[in-house]
Amino acid sequence: MQDWTRDNDRLVTEFEPNEAAVIRGLVGEIKDMLTARADQAPQDELAELTGMRAGPSTPPEEGVLARLLPDFIRPDRDSFEPEAESSDTAGALRSLHEPELIEHKSGVAATVLDTCPERGGRVSLTEDQADSWLSALNDVRLALGTALGVSEEVPEDPPEDQLQREHYYVYQWLTWVQESLIQALSS
């Protein structure tokens, strides 16, 4: 891949076939995970009539999804609010807002899948599409970081395990792709 560059009002780069396959595969996996989570939402006749959707009131159990769909509030140790009441509030907020968050994350993933050529090649994005790419790449990096156990500090040395090492290198490459796109947007 070449650095992202600005060409008038477009942001452009070229992806090799294997690079496009990695991006499309990982973004597609995130989109599939989000779709599966959305399908778990309770069916509500009132929601169908009003157009208001309700999502699950409990956080995802799987670590990657829990990272992509965090709690909307977290119990504060210094709070006087009983934990059960705080948990009820968190569940209500999740039920209300998670469908919108899933819709947004799925939408940015769809933009990447629509604009990244299956066999590699030139990618030319509007600024709005570039914002979608940044969001989708961030979701993939969060997912990989969770699987790798990356915290705020990214380890400089790759893991010993072969599979984790490969994921680590993909994580680092995606970081570079994201930073390059940010630089092009800023220019």
Side-chain angles (χ1 to χ4, degrees):
M1 179 195 147
Q2 304 168 358
D3 281 338
W4 287 95
T5 58
R6 187 175 280 280
D7 183 8
N8 294 320
D9 60 344
R10 308 288 291 188
L11 296 125
V12 296
T13 194
E14 293 263 339
F15 283 109
E16 295 294 325
N18 61 328
E19 295 169 332
V22 167
I23 288 176
R24 291 181 61 80
L26 291 172
V27 169
E29 284 183 41
I30 297 294
K31 189 171 187 292
D32 290 347
M33 291 172 65
L34 294 168
T35 299
R37 175 69 178 180
D39 291 344
Q40 293 175 356
Q43 299 302 315
D44 183 359
E45 290 177 20
L46 182 59
E48 289 180 27
L49 290 173
T50 63
M52 294 176 56
R53 296 166 296 166
S57 60
T58 57
E61 293 179 16
E62 199 274 321
V64 169
L65 264 180
R67 184 74 172 111
L68 293 173
L69 303 169
D71 282 333
F72 291 91
I73 61 170
R74 295 185 183 212
D76 184 3
R77 288 184 221 151
D78 298 329
S79 173
F80 295 107
E81 186 175 6
E83 191 170 315
E85 194 173 313
S86 176
S87 176
D88 290 344
T89 303
L93 285 172
R94 175 174 294 283
S95 178
L96 183 62
H97 294 292
E98 186 177 284
E100 292 173 28
L101 184 58
I102 288 174
E103 184 177 308
H104 171 75
K105 289 179 178 289
S106 295
V108 299
T111 298
V112 171
L113 295 173
D114 289 344
T115 56
C116 183
E118 287 184 38
R119 293 183 181 90
R122 181 179 166 91
V123 176
S124 177
L125 306 175
T126 65
E127 286 193 12
D128 286 343
Q129 290 170 325
D131 287 341
S132 292
W133 268 70
L134 289 173
S135 184
L137 289 173
N138 191 61
D139 287 344
V140 170
R141 290 182 61 247
L142 282 172
L144 280 174
T146 300
L148 290 168
V150 171
S151 62
E152 304 256 339
E153 294 294 319
V154 178
E156 290 188 26
D157 296 325
E160 296 285 327
D161 178 75
Q162 177 67 26
L163 183 59
Q164 282 200 331
R165 186 171 36 251
E166 290 171 10
H167 286 125
Y168 172 83
Y169 289 134
V170 169
Y171 178 88
Q172 294 289 44
W173 177 71
L174 289 171
T175 301
W176 177 78
V177 171
Q178 192 175 36
E179 287 175 0
S180 176
L181 183 53
I182 290 169
Q183 290 297 321
L185 270 169
S186 302
S187 63

